[in-house]
């Protein structure tokens, strides 16, 4: 089953939106595999966002993601990466559809509440960056057959 890395960014934690954000993924039918509440180190942030190293917003992005604790999670499901991205909404919250997390709760690209992996390949790397195999739980969810045909 495909897995994706989701982060509730520091603004989501500070604004008391952890529960609301987790609820969106849970209600959608994605299955929780791992979760922890952490302060990201600068090294972890720089590794996680290495792809954006040459972008003008890179430094402020690293500052933002390390400015307070985050909730890091792994969610699983069929097409989990694409489903989670749709649930999160467009990168710029102004363009994010109402009903998406960013479309309902955010106003600016630099305070867009959530990270979600953007491809299955990147998801594998990001999940491994944040979680050991032992931290990822395989479990039987009794509603699985009502969510996945
Ligand atoms: P994504 O989070 O929707 O995948 P990316 O393009 O991967 O978006 O960018 C990573 C993060 O960098 C965004 O979520 C946002 O916090 C920040 N970011 C992206 N573009 C800009 C920008 O133009 N200005 C400021 N921050 C940006
Ligand atoms: Mg991205």
């Amino acid at each position: 089953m495909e897995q994706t890395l989701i982060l509730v960014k520091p603004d989501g934690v500070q604004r008391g939106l952890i529960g609301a954000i987790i609820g969106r993924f849970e209600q959608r039918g994605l299955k929780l595999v791992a979760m922890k509440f952490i302060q990201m180190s600068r090294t972890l942030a720089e590794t996680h966002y290495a792809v954006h190293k040459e972008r003008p917003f890179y430094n402020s992005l690293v500052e933002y993601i390390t400015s307070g604790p985050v909730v890091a999670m792994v969610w699983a499901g069929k097409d989990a990466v694409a489903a989670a991205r749709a649930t999160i909404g467009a990168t710029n919250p102004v363009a994010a559809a109402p009903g998406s997390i960013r479309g309902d709760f955010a106003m600016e690209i630099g305070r867009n509440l959530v990270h979600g992996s953007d491809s299955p390949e990147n998801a594998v790397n990001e999940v491994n960056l944040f979680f050991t195999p032992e931290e990822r739980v395989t479990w039987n969810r009794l509603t699985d057959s009502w969510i996945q045909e």
Side-chain angles (χ1 to χ4, degrees):
M1 199 62 80
E2 192 169 281
Q3 300 190 344
T4 187
L5 180 83
I6 302 294
L7 302 175
V8 179
K9 294 178 177 181
D11 46 342
V13 174
Q14 295 288 351
R15 291 176 55 195
L17 294 172
I18 296 171
I21 291 170
I22 292 176
R24 298 296 180 98
F25 298 105
E26 200 176 32
Q27 288 171 325
R28 185 88 196 256
L30 287 156
K31 186 174 176 179
L32 188 63
V33 170
M35 175 161 64
K36 58 186 170 188
F37 185 55
I38 55 167
Q39 169 64 50
M40 283 174 67
S41 67
R42 198 165 181 93
T43 307
L44 178 59
E46 288 174 353
T47 307
H48 175 64
Y49 280 129
V51 59
H52 295 304
K53 199 163 179 44
E54 304 309 322
R55 303 284 202 87
F57 57 84
Y58 175 73
N59 282 328
S60 64
L61 177 57
V62 171
E63 288 295 326
Y64 167 38
I65 203 71
T66 58
S67 64
V70 304
V71 179
M73 297 169 280
V74 179
W75 290 87
K78 183 165 176 286
D79 299 321
V81 169
R85 293 280 294 187
T87 290
I88 291 166
T91 304
N92 186 344
V94 172
S100 67
I101 295 167
R102 289 167 173 165
D104 285 353
F105 297 119
M107 293 288 286
E108 283 193 11
I109 198 164
R111 293 288 183 271
N112 63 3
L113 291 174
V114 197
H115 168 82
S117 307
D118 66 1
S119 71
E121 300 72 38
N122 288 339
V124 170
N125 293 330
E126 292 183 356
V127 164
N128 286 321
L129 181 63
F130 281 81
F131 293 94
T132 64
E134 295 73 32
E135 288 176 317
R136 285 143 62 186
V137 179
T138 303
W139 60 291
N140 183 35
R141 185 173 59 177
L142 298 179
T143 51
D144 274 349
S145 64
W146 298 104
I147 294 165
Q148 255 30 107
E149 198 179 350

